[in-house]
Amino acid sequence: MEELKSNSVSCRDYHPLYAPASAGDIDAQIELGIKYRDGNGVEQDGNKAVEWLTKAANQGSTQAKFNLGYMYKDGDGVPLNYSKAIEWFTLAADEGDMNSLVWIGILHQRGHGFTQDFSKAAECYSVAASKGDSYGQYNLGNLYRDGKGVPGDSHKALELFTLSAEQGNELALEALGELYIAQRDYEKGKEYLRQAGANGNQNALETLKKIEAVQEKHRIEDSVRKITCPFCGKKSVWKAKYCHGCTARILYSPARKYEWMGIGIAIFSAVVGVAMDPNHLGRVLFFSFLIWPLSLILSRLFGEQQAFFRKD
């Protein structure tokens, strides 16, 4: 009997798993194969992982066939072999495993083991998506968004991303966020990116930080008062001495409306004063028209200003 090599526990502790696996228990064979694949409690050994998973696959285990395909497509503990990966994925997919079907689509899309073919990838994703597989929905959404293998259709992409995101797929949440950002719906886009980040997608959090930084920059820029040059049409920051777009000088002076307001108040005060006390006409007129220069002084100190562009 083959002995189980362990780097953390004794072989005796693994007898409850090893014995049934040797006796043909499929679940024990899969568990043992995965432990050898990952080095989880035993010395990592890709060959032993393949041996035990193959025993389970030969007894009809779809899960074992998927795991074998996954090992061969990455070269995970075994030599990279797309042909074997496709063989095992196909067997599992024929038994209804949507994860395997999605990976066949990915291999078609990447041109790994197949001639690159986005249409065939879309066919695989479409079947998986129709069965409710979140990665099938997400991958098919990407193809519709990019117009690869299928006609470009942002509405279809949005629909598929939403279906996938509703199942908690962090990649779909990120894609939804980016799609809404591209459509200038920033608040909804940022919310989906936050959800993706909460589900462990660090890339979505980085994208969110960049978007918020850009928004803050625009908010600050928009809060700065600007004036438009009549000569070149460029905007300059208020209080700049020269136009940012040409050589025009910028001069500032109190807005004329305050001068007219001062004159109006002075005339009104004089009329009312005379009407109320005609015997002291001179005094009334003196104090009334004193309001005008006072209003000019106050407008220069505290009033609104206007800018003039002048080319010397």
Side-chain angles (χ1 to χ4, degrees):
M1 179 182 290
E2 178 185 354
E3 292 186 2
L4 182 67
K5 296 180 180 179
S6 171
N7 57 12
S8 63
V9 295
S10 69
C11 294
R12 179 181 57 78
D13 293 325
Y14 267 91
H15 281 179
L17 180 62
Y18 186 85
S22 299
D25 185 294
I26 293 176
D27 291 336
Q29 290 171 344
I30 293 171
E31 186 175 352
L32 199 53
I34 292 174
K35 285 183 181 296
Y36 272 120
R37 182 195 68 188
D38 299 338
N40 180 15
V42 296
E43 183 179 346
Q44 191 171 28
D45 190 325
N47 291 327
K48 287 187 180 295
V50 169
E51 179 185 341
W52 285 109
L53 288 171
T54 301
K55 288 178 184 292
N58 288 339
Q59 293 192 79
S61 170
T62 302
Q63 181 185 355
K65 293 169 186 174
F66 168 77
N67 278 290
L68 283 165
Y70 203 88
M71 287 181 69
Y72 280 114
K73 65 97 180 170
D74 281 339
D76 184 9
V78 293
L80 179 70
N81 191 321
Y82 291 127
S83 295
K84 285 189 176 182
I86 292 168
E87 178 184 346
W88 286 115
F89 280 145
T90 300
L91 289 171
D94 288 344
E95 294 170 3
D97 184 66
M98 292 300 102
N99 284 336
S100 295
L101 184 59
V102 168
W103 271 107
I104 292 172
I106 292 172
L107 294 175
H108 274 296
Q109 183 174 339
R110 293 177 178 175
H112 291 170
F114 297 109
T115 301
Q116 188 175 45
D117 192 328
F118 290 100
S119 296
K120 287 190 179 297
E123 290 175 10
C124 295
Y125 299 151
S126 182
V127 173
S130 69
K131 301 291 185 181
D133 184 87
S134 71
Y135 284 97
Q137 293 162 345
Y138 165 72
N139 288 340
L140 186 59
N142 279 330
L143 294 185
Y144 273 108
R145 180 195 60 197
D146 300 335
K148 293 183 176 180
V150 292
D153 189 335
S154 60
H155 295 293
K156 186 68 175 177
L158 183 66
E159 176 186 338
L160 288 162
F161 287 150
T162 301
L163 289 172
S164 181
E166 287 173 351
Q167 298 186 64
N169 188 314
E170 75 277 3
L171 295 175
L173 287 165
E174 180 187 12
L176 266 180
E178 292 176 347
L179 199 56
Y180 277 114
I181 294 296
Q183 296 174 355
R184 299 185 181 278
D185 190 340
Y186 296 107
E187 293 310 310
K188 186 174 287 189
K190 290 194 296 182
E191 179 55 33
Y192 277 114
L193 290 174
R194 287 191 191 96
Q195 290 182 38
N199 284 12
N201 190 323
Q202 293 301 313
N203 187 58
L205 291 178
E206 290 300 317
T207 301
L208 178 62
K209 288 179 182 178
K210 290 177 182 177
I211 291 169
E212 289 182 334
V214 170
Q215 286 187 315
E216 178 63 14
K217 179 183 177 182
H218 288 168
R219 187 192 66 78
I220 293 172
E221 289 178 349
D222 291 342
S223 67
V224 176
R225 186 178 177 184
K226 296 179 181 178
I227 47 178
T228 303
C229 176
F231 300 110
C232 68
K234 299 291 185 180
K235 291 184 179 297
S236 298
V237 177
W238 183 259
K239 287 300 182 182
K241 294 182 178 180
Y242 293 92
C243 172
H244 295 340
C246 64
T247 58
R249 291 184 62 193
I250 307 176
L251 305 175
Y252 301 88
S253 65
R256 289 288 180 182
K257 65 179 181 178
Y258 291 104
E259 295 183 21
W260 291 110
M261 287 174 60
I263 293 172
I265 293 171
I267 294 173
F268 177 78
S269 300
V271 172
V272 172
V274 170
M276 294 180 62
D277 191 359
N279 295 325
H280 297 87
L281 179 60
R283 185 185 303 173
V284 170
L285 291 177
F286 173 75
F287 284 107
S288 296
F289 284 99
L290 187 62
I291 295 174
W292 178 48
L294 180 60
S295 68
L296 292 180
I297 294 171
L298 293 175
S299 70
R300 288 184 180 276
L301 293 175
F302 307 107
E304 185 177 327
Q305 288 192 319
Q306 56 188 354
F308 299 92
F309 289 79
R310 188 177 76 189
K311 281 198 172 183
D312 296 330

